[in-house]
Amino acid sequence: MSTDRHPKLRDVARVAGVSLATASRALSEPGVVKEATREHVKSVAAMLGYMPSGAARALASRRSRTLGAVFPPVDNPIFAAATQALAHELAGAGYTLLLATHEYDPAVEVQVTRTLLERGVDGLVLIGLDHSPELFELLSRSRVPYEITWSIDSAGYHPCVGIPHRAASARVTQHLLDLGHREFAVVAGVTAHNDRVRERLAGVRDALTARGIELRADRVIDAEFSVAQGRRAFLELLERAPGFTAVICGNDTLALGVMTECARRGLRIPEQLSVAGFDNIELASEMTPALTTVHVPAADIGRLAGSRMLARLSGRHVPVIEELRAELIVRESTGKPPATVQKP
Amino acid sequence: MSTDRHPKLRDVARVAGVSLATASRALSEPGVVKEATREHVKSVAAMLGYMPSGAARALASRRSRTLGAVFPPVDNPIFAAATQALAHELAGAGYTLLLATHEYDPAVEVQVTRTLLERGVDGLVLIGLDHSPELFELLSRSRVPYEITWSIDSAGYHPCVGIPHRAASARVTQHLLDLGHREFAVVAGVTAHNDRVRERLAGVRDALTARGIELRADRVIDAEFSVAQGRRAFLELLERAPGFTAVICGNDTLALGVMTECARRGLRIPEQLSVAGFDNIELASEMTPALTTVHVPAADIGRLAGSRMLARLSGRHVPVIEELRAELIVRESTGKPPATVQKP
DNA sequence: GTCTTTTATGAAACCGTTTTCAATCATTTA
DNA sequence: TAAATGATTGAAAACGGTTTCATAAAAGAC
């Protein structure tokens, strides 16, 4: 009918001399249509510059070929890597990523998730287990499949792909204990609305408790994930409760903050102070001294979340829990505590 | 009709005792409907847990309330920041971000852009001016509004919000010239399909040429944007054409690579070698020595791209070119060249 | 108190696909 | 060769909203 630059499927069908139904099938259900017909329709579509309407397609088929991702912030190297890998994985299957961020605000999280659901995402990728009840209610009411990433839901209720934060964190602590450390400090990250941070902190306590050591309350401090906040937290620890020989950080960015402050005041790492991080961002291995940390396979998590979701959408079965390894990577920032315990 | 958990607008209308049209208007065109009616419809919708179908809405209204972003990779701190700001800006207006990445592959870029267009994005945010002809053809045929970010299209053909890479890069070079440097090396980034990198390189040449200095071809090297590649490139420069006193890097990540290698081999910055970056990522100011660089207002670019797009979509007018400032930030990594020119 | 406007609502067409369901055609079985 | 089976195709009904157009009610003009 229309002679403008936006041919519809109807136009393709007319020019190709087939019905609307056949044209539709030729383009999206290759197997059902006779080879010759299919090729003919395809060539007509290409010639006309036909571009299907995602909206119409989504409305009629009830799937949008779009996945939603609700991330805290995406400008955190580790989440950025996961986003990248996820988007890449989806693109390979003709899917697209609808991205939303909430900056660790539960109310915003519910809000943006609702928006994604209204957009008709076929699935949702979330981070962690710490979500408001409304969020979970929204999920169950909408019946949209979702994947929890980073965390593991041991209860087995939520499909998830993540790592054992607590155990990994305990492992780092053990490493420091083995080196002889007894006085610990922790720059934790923000524990509110963040189960990963709390689990990591719990892991530190696990390891210490196992050796009969208590973590002093004034040696634990919350800090937002940034280098500057890492420095600030470290300074506060030094002032508030000096005498520790090892600092365990909630992530590498915080650890970098601690290290830069040490460099600034001439504190030698690891001779005078041991520092450990979590995540294994690229910089961790490039710093001098290189940072001891836990490798979090962020890209793998993103990729897997994507492929699991795609698999589930096409009816295939996947294990509810996919636990990835999070290995301790010992580098140069951790060593024996100084012989005489001195204020660092 | 349906008693299941997914009420449609029709159900809302029926329960509220109004027509489908009125229900629709009450929910999305607040001004048109009488206050009492509107409130009533809204409360019924809330009570039923009504959730509009984005697909149906997009099909009927021909707008999806979704913007597409085509980024090279999103796991580059500077792009991550822009993505974050963009998503945030859009969310505030009820819009959502459809994200696609292409890893600097022009063919992939066309492919993912086409997918975004099929999804019916109301607008598109692209990075830089270096795109394949097919991409531009796709854009003009689809008639979807777009914004070019990072780069400035001086020709005034494309709406854009960015910074003057060339001038800013010349400015850095000038700074080093003023300090007395005459022997330069450049770790450029990958120049293929990346006008920002080429412009920055051209800026260096501009400044040098203005003082009658030539940039030796063997003192310029391409490197992918990573710390490791920055190190590798630096090593290659040292081997291939030593004798330079200043290294200008295509971005901060590369500069970090150069700096870590210097630290590793005991090369003192800036006493023996000056290093400059571009971007001003968080780490730049936290390193020791702190990195001299050009501040790229990435978050501002993202935010502005979003607000400009939203403005244009609602018919408002915006200037075609929005050029942001990219200031030189002199820190500790640049200083006078060593008195006797020695091989670094 | 009648005649225009304006404002609020409703009926129905439409957005561009997918997807039954039935019909046709070709092929295999008896 | 007729009947049965399977592979292709087509007609038309969804999918769930928005929007045009007409109408009814309310407000203002004279």
Side-chain angles (χ1 to χ4, degrees):
Chain A
M1 195 114 341
S2 49
T3 42
D4 65 14
R5 70 185 109 290
H6 279 314
K8 329 268 175 226
L9 186 56
R10 148 186 296 133
D11 301 311
V12 174
R14 185 166 35 73
V15 174
V18 299
S19 74
L20 196 57
T22 301
S24 169
R25 287 189 279 247
L27 297 177
S28 43
E29 273 180 290
V32 189
V33 156
K34 196 165 66 180
E35 163 110 26
T37 316
R38 168 165 30 105
E39 290 311 319
H40 181 222
V41 171
K42 278 189 175 173
S43 72
V44 168
M47 180 211 301
L48 295 181
Y50 168 67
M51 177 175 279
S53 152
R57 187 177 269 205
L59 179 58
S61 69
R62 271 165 293 271
R63 19 174 43 216
S64 61
R65 290 147 198 268
T66 286
L67 246 54
V70 184
F71 278 27
V74 72
D75 61 348
N76 169 325
I78 205 80
F79 290 140
T83 306
Q84 174 70 28
L86 177 54
H88 187 262
E89 179 74 19
L90 297 185
Y95 269 70
T96 313
L97 187 68
L98 211 34
L99 184 72
T101 65
H102 59 75
E103 336 263 356
Y104 295 106
D105 179 333
V108 174
E109 185 179 24
V110 173
Q111 160 60 31
V112 298
T113 304
R114 180 188 303 278
T115 303
L116 291 187
L117 288 172
E118 290 185 358
R119 292 295 181 280
V121 293
D122 293 342
L124 224 35
V125 175
L126 304 174
I127 291 200
L129 286 161
D130 230 349
H131 303 287
S132 69
E134 293 105 297
L135 200 279
F136 282 116
E137 193 189 321
L138 208 54
L139 288 180
S140 72
R141 272 226 324 263
S142 71
R143 299 215 166 278
V144 161
Y146 60 89
E147 287 278 331
I148 298 290
T149 59
W150 300 95
S151 302
I152 296 293
D153 175 33
S154 328
Y157 185 65
H158 303 112
C160 55
V161 38
I163 57 163
H165 297 272
R166 188 162 179 164
S169 186
R171 184 75 194 76
V172 179
T173 311
Q174 217 142 26
H175 159 66
L176 287 162
L177 282 164
D178 292 346
L179 284 170
H181 292 272
R182 292 297 176 269
E183 299 290 335
F184 290 82
V186 177
V187 178
V190 178
T191 50
H193 314 308
N194 191 326
D195 59 313
R196 286 86 65 209
V197 168
R198 288 201 306 276
E199 287 287 295
R200 292 178 191 178
L201 183 52
V204 174
R205 289 217 165 84
D206 288 348
L208 293 183
T209 306
R211 304 262 184 122
I213 297 175
E214 200 204 350
L215 183 60
R216 285 169 49 180
D218 58 358
R219 289 260 177 85
V220 179
I221 191 166
D222 270 25
E224 283 174 14
F225 288 143
S226 77
V227 178
Q229 287 298 306
R231 282 185 49 208
R232 184 199 54 70
F234 180 55
L235 285 171
E236 200 169 324
L237 281 172
L238 284 179
E239 184 163 318
R240 186 206 278 178
F244 49 86
T245 62
V247 181
I248 299 177
C249 301
N251 77 3
D252 289 352
T253 306
L254 291 172
L256 250 44
V258 171
M259 290 175 78
T260 58
E261 183 57 29
C262 286
R264 209 161 294 201
R265 52 174 61 202
L267 253 174
R268 292 195 316 282
I269 299 176
E271 293 79 5
Q272 296 174 271
L273 184 73
S274 284
V275 179
F278 207 110
D279 279 355
N280 194 28
I281 62 178
E282 192 197 3
L283 243 5
S285 57
E286 304 287 346
M287 299 285 299
T288 345
L291 182 65
T292 291
T293 188
V294 171
H295 177 70
V296 175
D300 290 339
I301 292 180
R303 185 167 25 252
L304 261 170
S307 64
R308 281 168 55 92
M309 203 65 246
L310 292 173
R312 289 170 62 190
L313 287 175
S314 56
R316 269 170 287 150
H317 194 266
V318 299
V320 177
I321 295 179
E322 190 118 24
E323 182 169 307
L324 271 40
R325 301 197 52 183
E327 281 185 90
L328 170 66
I329 303 199
V330 177
R331 296 205 180 93
E332 307 156 5
S333 69
T334 48
K336 292 203 174 104
T340 40
V341 174
Q342 58 186 31
K343 295 190 182 181
Chain B
M1 195 113 346
S2 49
T3 40
D4 65 15
R5 71 184 107 293
H6 280 313
K8 329 263 173 232
L9 186 57
R10 147 188 298 136
D11 301 311
V12 174
R14 184 166 35 73
V15 174
V18 299
S19 75
L20 196 57
T22 301
S24 170
R25 286 190 280 249
L27 297 178
S28 44
E29 273 180 291
V32 189
V33 154
K34 195 164 66 178
E35 163 111 25
T37 318
R38 167 165 31 105
E39 290 311 320
H40 180 222
V41 172
K42 277 190 175 173
S43 72
V44 168
M47 180 211 302
L48 295 182
Y50 168 67
M51 178 175 279
S53 151
R57 187 179 270 204
L59 180 58
S61 69
R62 272 165 291 269
R63 18 173 45 219
S64 62
R65 292 149 197 269
T66 286
L67 246 54
V70 183
F71 278 27
V74 73
D75 62 347
N76 169 324
I78 206 82
F79 290 140
T83 306
Q84 174 69 27
L86 177 55
H88 187 262
E89 179 73 21
L90 297 186
Y95 269 71
T96 313
L97 187 68
L98 211 34
L99 183 72
T101 65
H102 59 74
E103 335 264 356
Y104 295 106
D105 180 333
V108 174
E109 185 179 24
V110 172
Q111 160 60 31
V112 298
T113 304
R114 180 188 302 279
T115 303
L116 292 186
L117 288 172
E118 290 185 358
R119 294 294 182 278
V121 293
D122 293 342
L124 224 35
V125 175
L126 303 175
I127 291 200
L129 286 161
D130 229 350
H131 304 288
S132 70
E134 293 104 297
L135 200 278
F136 283 116
E137 193 190 320
L138 208 55
L139 288 179
S140 72
R141 272 228 322 265
S142 71
R143 299 216 165 279
V144 162
Y146 59 91
E147 288 277 330
I148 299 289
T149 57
W150 299 95
S151 301
I152 296 294
D153 174 33
S154 327
Y157 184 66
H158 304 112
C160 55
V161 38
I163 57 164
H165 296 272
R166 187 161 179 165
S169 186
R171 183 77 194 74
V172 179
T173 311
Q174 217 142 28
H175 159 66
L176 287 162
L177 282 165
D178 292 346
L179 284 170
H181 291 271
R182 292 297 177 270
E183 299 290 336
F184 289 81
V186 178
V187 178
V190 177
T191 51
H193 315 309
N194 191 325
D195 58 313
R196 287 86 65 209
V197 167
R198 288 200 307 276
E199 287 286 296
R200 291 178 192 177
L201 182 53
V204 173
R205 289 217 165 85
D206 289 348
L208 293 183
T209 306
R211 304 257 185 124
I213 297 176
E214 201 204 350
L215 183 59
R216 287 169 48 181
D218 58 357
R219 289 262 176 83
V220 178
I221 191 166
D222 271 25
E224 281 173 17
F225 288 143
S226 78
V227 179
Q229 287 298 306
R231 282 185 50 209
R232 185 200 53 72
F234 179 54
L235 285 171
E236 200 168 324
L237 282 172
L238 284 180
E239 184 163 319
R240 185 204 280 178
F244 49 87
T245 63
V247 180
I248 300 177
C249 300
N251 77 3
D252 289 353
T253 305
L254 290 173
L256 249 45
V258 172
M259 291 175 77
T260 57
E261 183 57 30
C262 287
R264 210 161 293 202
R265 51 174 62 202
L267 254 174
R268 293 194 316 281
I269 298 176
E271 293 79 4
Q272 296 174 270
L273 184 72
S274 284
V275 179
F278 207 110
D279 280 354
N280 194 28
I281 61 178
E282 191 198 4
L283 245 4
S285 58
E286 305 286 348
M287 299 287 298
T288 345
L291 181 65
T292 291
T293 189
V294 171
H295 176 70
V296 175
D300 289 339
I301 292 180
R303 184 166 27 251
L304 261 169
S307 65
R308 281 167 56 90
M309 203 66 246
L310 292 173
R312 289 170 62 190
L313 287 175
S314 57
R316 269 170 286 151
H317 194 265
V318 299
V320 177
I321 295 179
E322 190 118 22
E323 181 169 308
L324 271 41
R325 302 197 51 183
E327 282 186 90
L328 170 66
I329 302 197
V330 177
R331 297 207 180 93
E332 307 156 3
S333 68
T334 49
K336 292 204 174 101
T340 41
V341 175
Q342 58 187 30
K343 294 191 182 181

